[in-house]
Amino acid sequence: MIGTGQSGAQIAEELYQSGRKVYLSIGSAGRVPRRYRGKDINDWLTRMGMFDTNVEALKSPAEKFHPHPQISGKNRGESLNLHQFARDGVVWLGHVRDARAGRLIIARDLKETLAKVDQFESNALKMLDDYVARTGLGAATETISQLRDGYAQEVIPELDLKGSGISTVLWATGYSFDFSLVKLPVVDADGYPIQKRGVTEHEGLYFLGMPWLHSRRSGILFGVGDDAAHLAAHIAARDRERSAVVA
Ligand SMILES: Cc1cc2nc3c(=O)[nH]c(=O)nc-3n(C[C@H](O)[C@H](O)[C@H](O)COP(=O)(O)OP(=O)(O)OC[C@H]3O[C@@H](n4cnc5c(N)ncnc54)[C@H](O)[C@@H]3O)c2cc1C
């Protein structure tokens, strides 16, 4: 399995829990506990206004493509912890750099990547604790157990697929956009549409359902409806203006 965003981590967990041997190439997606201090993490993030963070607040355009932290919706919502995967027998790999003659060439960045995943959780919990302290909410304190099993894993620079018994390689490394069928200068250097909350400079051309179109929630079901309502209102206003001109 290559990639540990939400999809990769969820699939890897199900594969090893079903008894399969899993080698997992770890990416930079962070980790948060699914529940903390008595609430679902999404509940906390909503209260803190995190999902309303506007795209203009991002430090760089590339931040739009950062993966969501690892959590799972299984069993009404669970945490995913790669250290637990290691404890349960999953073999970790750094970033896959190349494949030659049946061998994967792997970066020796496993521990550095893991440190970033762990740091993400520390930062998120601190932010949440600060929020609770600032708002005076009476949420009982909680200590999240700090597993460290992954750091004990060997750094593997090359892997012989056949020799390791690997018969399937699953890529869960995300999507890129392809708007080549739109024959207008409408995408930026990242291939991302140039628009404001879905409205482009080209009359009648709109985008919807993309990560950070308007806010953090634009790319999930939680936010696509609001963006759609905004576009519908824009189109209706445009039509009203047109009818007024005709009248
Ligand atoms: C793997 C994955 C997991 C996700 N998990 C979650 C989650 O757990 N919670 C959550 O809130 N959100 C999740 N999302 C995000 C959520 O799926 C999107 O926010 C939502 O689907 C966006 O709605 P949409 O209608 O804009 O696009 P979509 O639901 O993607 O619909 C786009 C439609 O357009 C069609 N289409 C594409 N190109 C063309 C074309 N050229 N001609 C005609 N039709 C075309 C596609 O076939 C598709 O039917 C996930 C997304 C992915 C990819």
Side-chain angles (χ1 to χ4, degrees), residues 152-179:
Q153 290 225 351
E154 183 194 348
V155 173
I156 299 174
E158 261 190 59
L159 192 68
D160 175 17
L161 292 174
K162 214 170 182 179
S164 309
I166 296 173
S167 56
T168 306
V169 178
L170 268 167
W171 294 87
T173 48
Y175 297 88
S176 57
F177 306 118
D178 178 2
F179 293 114

Side-chain angles (χ1 to χ4, degrees), residues 153-230:
Q153 290 225 351
E154 183 194 348
V155 173
I156 299 174
E158 261 190 59
L159 192 68
D160 175 17
L161 292 174
K162 214 170 182 179
S164 309
I166 296 173
S167 56
T168 306
V169 178
L170 268 167
W171 294 87
T173 48
Y175 297 88
S176 57
F177 306 118
D178 178 2
F179 293 114
S180 55
L181 64 78
V182 183
K183 308 292 180 203
L184 287 168
V186 75
V187 294
D188 64 16
D190 296 319
Y192 192 90
I194 302 164
Q195 44 68 46
K196 195 140 184 60
R197 203 168 187 181
V199 182
T200 73
E201 286 183 353
H202 305 276
E203 199 183 337
L205 179 63
Y206 304 96
F207 288 88
L208 184 63
M210 299 188 61
W212 288 100
L213 196 73
H214 173 62
S215 69
R216 190 188 298 273
R217 60 165 125 173
S218 290
I220 54 175
L221 300 173
F222 190 25
V224 70
D226 286 347
D227 288 352
H230 175 80

